[in-house]
Amino acid sequence: MPPIVHGFDWPDRLVVGTVGLPGERTFYLQAQTGARLVSVALEKEQAAALSERVEEVLDALMGEDGNPFSVPALTPEGLVDNDPLAQPVEEQFRAGALSLGWDPTTAQLVIDAFPIPVIDPDELEGLEPDDEIEIEPDEVLRVRIPVGLARAFAKRTREVVGAGRPICPLCRQPMDGDDHVCELPDGFR
């Protein structure tokens, strides 16, 4: 059965935001058009990697001769979105994989979020260790955004990811308040 596609072409809003306190935050990729809202949970590392990759793609496109897709170098002022996540935040699914593509016919980035695959144990019976199985996702979030919104999305996502607990300059681990004690590798003091 083909997956349910939660598609957003030119959404009113696409943001990464969080629910919870630093150290206990849940990250969400949220797409909205009018009253239609889809929130997909994801890991902090997924959000950071997506933001970084969006920036890389935009920079590469901007570097093409003559910048044919009019990719802005900075976030266009009118597209800055610092508002919290839209409510209610109801998790559609938890992202297991994200993909990023470019559609030159519409000059849009395409972001797909796929749920963590669920494997039916009955499907594994009789398989050899080298056998491959294909897992078709039940649903996917597909968002198509223009380059200006993509630049704003990447900037906001970087800021949200960076707004967590500060990193200790010695042990490079997140610090939980003023009572942080470094856990350095053996042999270091």
Side-chain angles (χ1 to χ4, degrees), residues 107-166:
Q108 291 179 307
L109 272 92
V110 181
I111 299 171
D112 287 333
F114 301 93
I116 295 172
V118 178
I119 300 173
D120 181 357
D122 293 338
E123 292 178 27
L124 300 177
E125 283 188 34
L127 290 178
E128 296 297 323
D130 292 339
D131 288 346
E132 291 184 20
I133 59 171
E134 281 195 37
I135 301 170
E136 184 74 27
D138 292 333
E139 55 190 329
V140 60
L141 170 64
R142 174 167 292 143
V143 185
R144 303 169 67 81
I145 54 175
V147 293
L149 182 58
R151 190 66 84 182
F153 169 81
K155 179 181 185 294
R156 176 195 165 112
T157 301
R158 276 194 324 276
E159 291 169 354
V160 167
V161 167
R165 297 173 290 172

Side-chain angles (χ1 to χ4, degrees), residues 26-47:
T26 301
F27 285 74
Y28 290 94
L29 173 63
Q30 193 175 71
Q32 183 174 19
T33 297
R36 186 166 168 250
L37 177 67
V38 174
S39 301
V40 172
L42 68 162
E43 297 298 323
K44 177 181 180 178
E45 294 78 12
Q46 289 174 303

Side-chain angles (χ1 to χ4, degrees), residues 14-18 25 27 29 47-59 71-83 100 109 111 145-164:
L14 177 68
V15 294
V16 166
T18 62
R25 298 183 297 171
F27 285 74
L29 173 63
L50 179 60
S51 171
E52 184 179 313
R53 189 66 185 123
V54 165
E55 288 285 354
E56 289 172 2
V57 169
L58 291 174
D59 291 346
V71 178
L74 302 172
T75 300
E77 194 171 311
L79 297 177
V80 173
D81 182 347
N82 293 320
D83 292 338
L100 178 64
L109 272 92
I111 299 171
I145 54 175
V147 293
L149 182 58
R151 190 66 84 182
F153 169 81
K155 179 181 185 294
R156 176 195 165 112
T157 301
R158 276 194 324 276
E159 291 169 354
V160 167
V161 167

Side-chain angles (χ1 to χ4, degrees), residues 55-109:
E55 288 285 354
E56 289 172 2
V57 169
L58 291 174
D59 291 346
L61 291 168
M62 191 174 70
E64 288 187 16
D65 190 32
N67 192 4
F69 300 106
S70 301
V71 178
L74 302 172
T75 300
E77 194 171 311
L79 297 177
V80 173
D81 182 347
N82 293 320
D83 292 338
L85 292 171
Q87 298 296 319
V89 178
E90 297 175 353
E91 182 178 312
Q92 185 69 39
F93 59 84
R94 177 163 288 279
L98 299 170
S99 71
L100 178 64
W102 170 250
D103 183 348
T105 62
T106 61
Q108 291 179 307
L109 272 92

